[in-house]
């Protein structure tokens, strides 16, 4: 992993984990894949290993990420899907030439067309986004309750009432803020 970059937020849904590579969208945005090398790192961590990435491929990845975020946000609030975002997602899905393969342990892995084909990896991410936005998987799209985040995430909790994209970051931050606000309120002298 490249030193000096913010840690990746890893979730159990590929498409929304990918959108999480830009966090705090409504605050001080944190870009977690600012360089081609960092995108390679993220893809490796997510089982989509590629050997290299160009600036043009990184820009395509950013475009896909923002398109997934826009479409997932619209789906979460039950709004109309933005046509330009849908087009980018579909184009990336069609362009990719990855194949699902079964490992001897019974797990699904992705085999990319070549070690330098970032487009294959992006096609897998786009296909995952299509699956969750189309409602094909058990769960629901929701938006993080953090006012500085508002990330789209896929809620697979039993009650489907999860509030935070990531409990370790946004959830903890909000709980700490509530705790400190209550401490200040309790510390005020009675009048």
């Amino acid at each position: 992993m490249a030193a000096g970059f913010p840690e990746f937020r890893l979730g159990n849904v590929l498409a929304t984990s990918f959108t999480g590579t830009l966090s705090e969208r409504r605050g001080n945005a944190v870009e977690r894949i600012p360089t081609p090398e960092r995108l390679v790192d993220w893809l490796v961590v997510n089982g989509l290993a590629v050997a290299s990435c160009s600036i043009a491929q990184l820009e395509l990845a950013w475009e896909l990420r923002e398109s997934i975020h826009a479409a997932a946000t619209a789906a979460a609030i039950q709004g109309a899907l933005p046509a330009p975002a849908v087009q980018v997602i579909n184009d990336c899905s069609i362009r990719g030439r990855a194949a699902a393969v079964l490992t001897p342990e019974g797990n699904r892995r992705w085999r990319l067309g070549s070690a330098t084909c970032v487009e294959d990896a992006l096609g897998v991410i786009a296909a995952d986004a299509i699956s969750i936005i189309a409602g094909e998987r058990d769960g629901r799209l929701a938006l993080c309750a953090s006012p500085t985040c508002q990330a789209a995430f896929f809620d697979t909790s039993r009650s489907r009432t999860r509030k935070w994209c990531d409990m370790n970051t946004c959830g903890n931050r909000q709980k700490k803020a509530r705790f400190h606000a209550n401490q200040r309120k309790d510390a005020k002298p009675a009048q």
Side-chain angles (χ1 to χ4, degrees):
M1 287 290 177
F5 292 110
E7 289 296 315
F8 295 134
R9 292 172 141 182
L10 302 175
N12 58 1
V13 177
L14 184 63
T16 54
S17 292
F18 187 57
T19 63
T21 61
L22 180 64
S23 58
E24 297 302 309
R25 291 170 181 270
R26 298 205 188 319
N28 293 324
V30 177
E31 176 60 72
R32 296 171 192 281
I33 54 169
T35 65
E37 296 76 21
R38 192 66 173 153
L39 176 58
V40 169
D41 290 344
W42 189 89
L43 292 170
V44 167
V45 167
N46 286 281
L48 298 168
V50 297
S52 64
C53 175
S54 69
I55 293 290
Q57 289 170 321
L58 176 62
E59 290 171 352
L60 177 60
W62 288 337
E63 182 181 26
L64 175 61
R65 176 185 69 192
E66 296 313 301
S67 296
I68 293 170
H69 177 72
T73 297
I77 61 172
Q78 300 177 345
L81 300 180
V86 169
Q87 187 66 51
V88 168
I89 294 166
N90 289 341
D91 289 348
C92 284
S93 180
I94 291 165
R95 193 176 304 130
R97 301 199 188 287
V101 295
L102 190 61
T103 68
E105 300 79 30
N107 298 313
R108 181 186 69 184
R109 293 283 181 254
W110 289 99
R111 182 172 297 149
L112 306 182
S114 77
T116 59
C117 198
V118 171
E119 290 80 4
D120 288 354
L122 297 179
V124 171
I125 296 166
D128 190 61
I130 291 167
S131 174
I132 62 170
I133 293 168
E136 295 176 348
R137 301 216 318 248
D138 188 28
R140 76 173 181 92
L141 279 163
L143 298 179
C144 182
S146 168
T148 60
C149 180
Q150 296 286 291
F153 66 91
F154 196 64
D155 181 5
T156 57
S157 68
R158 180 172 284 169
S159 64
R160 305 290 194 262
T161 57
R162 203 172 106 201
K163 295 172 93 175
W164 318 110
C165 65
D166 186 296
M167 194 59 217
N168 293 324
T169 53
C170 291
N172 268 346
R173 198 174 310 129
Q174 293 302 311
K175 284 185 172 192
K176 283 179 186 177
R178 250 192 337 266
F179 174 78
H180 291 301
N182 287 337
Q183 293 287 32
R184 285 189 299 274
K185 184 177 73 176
D186 291 344
K188 289 183 179 176
Q191 296 182 10

